[in-house]
């Protein structure tokens, strides 16, 4: 299997077989030598899940290349946070590093090579906590490299090491001290973006938001002083937005179906520092609210105008 793609790949699935098939076709074209597949089970209060989960699991049975396959098909539903975090625990019991891809995150083929190069380049550098493929603001080139460093972790197509995942916790440890010391002030300097992340962390810490594992990953990366490697080209498009989506239903969301490009070179930035402007822009984009009211539509409009003005200013400045 030496001619096959060697970094292990974890594919996380649930329902939506048609969406899953599109993403799995990219994995099938890649032909990874080591493939791990974890599926959450059907929800008790959604009778249609039984058939959808079965159809989705059938999609990933079409493995027609030489491959070591490990599967973990849950009989009942654990929910997003427990299903994904326990899948990552399972994955890193067997591997020291790998690529993680959810069923609705459609990668450009170059995403896998990018992860492979970065996993090798930063394997023994604990400053790098994670690698991501999604860059939702890729119309602005950051720094002088083919990628930049971020204090925020991206999880729509990502890669990491066992050493990093071992720092993940289901709760936000020492969060009161984190707030008291105003740690976020040094990471996100734009008030609206900073308040978004603080309110999000507050909700996770208080138990009001226990639906996802991802915010705990972002917190773990910040708490431990780690950086995420972000490509200057967006390599992932989330194609799961819409009425059939489990959590992402707003098809007009700026995160939905973002176009992808391809990365062909892997030049490192000259300076090993996080890009503060990029993190501020990403935080501001995260403040988007579903347009259910005129107020939300108006605030989204103002936010987009603000972001557009910032980008135009930077382009002229460059």
């Amino acid at each position: 299997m030496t001619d096959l793609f060697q970094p292990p790949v974890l594919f996380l699935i649930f329902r939506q077989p048609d969406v899953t098939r599109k993403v799995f076709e990219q994995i099938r074209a890649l032909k990874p030598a080591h493939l791990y597949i974890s599926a959450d089970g059907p929800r008790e209060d959604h009778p249609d899940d039984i058939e959808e989960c079965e159809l989705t699991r059938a999609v990933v049975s079409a493995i027609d290349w030489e491959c070591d396959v490990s599967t973990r098909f849950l009989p009942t539903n654990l929910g997003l946070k427990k299903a994904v975090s326990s899948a990552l625990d399972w994955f890193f019991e067997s591997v020291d590093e790998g690529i993680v891809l959810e069923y609705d995150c459609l990668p450009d083929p170059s995403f896998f090579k990018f992860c492979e190069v970065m996993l090798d380049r930063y394997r023994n550098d604990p400053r790098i906590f994670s690698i991501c493929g999604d860059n939702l603001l890729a119309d602005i080139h950051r720094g002088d490299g083919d990628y930049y460093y971020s204090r925020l972790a991206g999880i729509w197509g990502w890669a990491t090491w066992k050493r990093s995942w071992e720092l993940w916790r289901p709760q936000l440890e020492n969060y009161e001290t984190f707030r008291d010391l105003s740690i976020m002030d040094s990471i996100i300097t734009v008030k609206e973006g900073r308040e978004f992340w603080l309110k999000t962390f507050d909700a996770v810490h208080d138990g009001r938001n226990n639906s996802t594992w991802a915010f705990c990953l972002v917190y773990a990366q910040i708490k431990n002083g780690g950086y995420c490697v972000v490509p200057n080209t967006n390599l992932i498009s989330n194609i799961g937005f819409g009425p059939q989506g489990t959590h992402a239903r707003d098809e007009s969301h700026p995160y939905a179906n973002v176009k992808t490009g391809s990365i062909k070179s892997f030049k490192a930035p000259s300076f090993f520092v996080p890009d503060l402007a990029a993190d501020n822009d990403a935080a501001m984009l995260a403040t988007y609210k579903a347009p259910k009211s005129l107020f939300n539509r108006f605030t989204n409009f103002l936010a987009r105008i603000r972001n557009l003005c910032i980008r135009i200013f930077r382009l002229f400045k460059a």
Side-chain angles (χ1 to χ4, degrees):
M1 296 195 293
T2 55
D3 293 335
L4 301 178
F5 185 77
Q6 290 303 310
V9 176
L10 171 62
F11 190 35
L12 301 168
I13 65 173
F14 175 35
R15 41 191 292 274
Q16 293 185 273
D18 292 338
V19 172
T20 303
R21 184 175 292 106
K22 293 177 182 178
V23 178
F24 184 67
E25 283 304 311
Q26 294 298 321
I27 295 174
R28 192 178 181 187
L30 176 72
K31 295 181 172 56
H34 310 282
L35 179 60
Y36 293 75
I37 305 172
S38 183
D40 200 3
R43 296 164 292 183
E44 289 186 2
D45 55 345
H46 290 71
D48 292 344
D49 276 6
I50 296 174
E51 181 180 7
E52 278 228 16
C53 288
E54 289 177 354
L55 290 171
T56 302
R57 295 176 186 192
V59 167
V60 299
S61 67
I63 297 173
D64 53 4
W65 68 94
E66 186 181 2
C67 178
D68 290 333
V69 183
S70 299
T71 58
R72 177 179 177 267
F73 291 169
L74 299 173
T76 57
N77 187 267
L78 293 184
L80 181 61
K81 184 173 184 176
K82 288 186 178 180
V84 173
S85 61
S86 61
L88 283 157
D89 288 340
W90 169 71
F91 184 50
F92 286 114
E93 285 174 0
S94 301
V95 305
D96 291 325
E97 62 187 33
I99 297 168
V100 184
L101 199 60
E102 294 184 69
Y103 70 92
D104 55 359
C105 296
L106 183 65
D108 178 82
S110 64
F111 160 74
F112 297 105
K113 183 64 177 179
F114 176 70
C115 289
E116 181 181 31
V117 172
M118 296 301 111
L119 283 169
D120 179 67
R121 183 172 294 176
Y122 296 108
R123 180 173 297 126
N124 299 313
D125 191 338
R127 294 176 298 178
I128 298 300
F129 188 96
S130 61
I131 302 150
C132 76
D134 63 289
N135 180 348
L136 302 176
L137 294 165
D139 52 335
I140 301 176
H141 192 284
R142 316 286 178 167
D144 63 350
D146 293 310
Y147 57 90
Y148 64 91
Y149 306 111
S150 170
R151 293 299 307 274
L152 306 174
I155 51 84
W156 283 354
W158 61 295
T160 193
W161 300 266
K162 182 177 183 178
R163 60 169 168 81
S164 295
W165 180 249
E166 288 178 338
L167 298 173
W168 183 89
R169 300 288 184 273
Q171 290 83 33
L172 307 187
E173 293 183 339
N174 305 119
Y175 181 66
E176 294 89 347
T177 304
F178 178 88
R179 281 216 65 148
D180 290 346
L181 294 176
S182 302
I183 301 297
M184 284 302 293
D185 288 5
S186 64
I187 298 170
I188 305 298
T189 58
V190 178
K191 181 181 177 181
E192 299 95 321
R194 182 171 64 250
E195 285 302 311
F196 164 82
W197 275 108
L198 287 173
K199 288 177 181 178
T200 299
F201 287 151
D202 285 347
V204 173
H205 178 68
D206 297 343
R208 289 178 285 116
N209 184 343
N210 200 35
S211 62
T212 180
W213 56 278
F215 297 136
C216 297
L217 185 78
V218 176
Y219 182 80
Q221 179 170 292
I222 293 171
K223 180 178 184 292
N224 291 282
Y227 298 164
C228 178
V229 172
V230 184
N232 264 311
T233 303
N234 180 48
L235 304 177
I236 299 288
S237 183
N238 191 310
I239 60 173
F241 282 83
Q244 299 302 314
T246 305
H247 297 281
R249 295 180 176 274
D250 180 8
E251 293 176 282
S252 66
H253 199 289
Y255 289 0
N257 300 298
V258 178
K259 67 179 181 179
T260 59
S262 180
I263 190 166
K264 297 180 175 62
S265 59
F266 309 100
K267 178 188 174 185
S270 297
F271 301 95
F272 204 106
V273 293
D275 193 302
L276 181 62
D279 285 349
N280 274 304
D281 289 347
M284 284 303 299
L285 186 63
T287 64
Y288 172 89
K289 298 180 179 65
K292 295 179 180 179
S293 67
L294 289 174
F295 177 76
N296 281 356
R297 291 191 182 99
F298 181 66
T299 55
N300 289 338
F301 173 75
L302 291 179
R304 288 178 176 176
I305 292 297
R306 177 189 179 279
N307 289 337
L308 179 61
C309 291
I310 290 173
R311 292 179 201 177
I312 293 172
F313 172 77
R314 286 180 184 155
L315 286 172
F316 277 108
K317 188 177 179 181

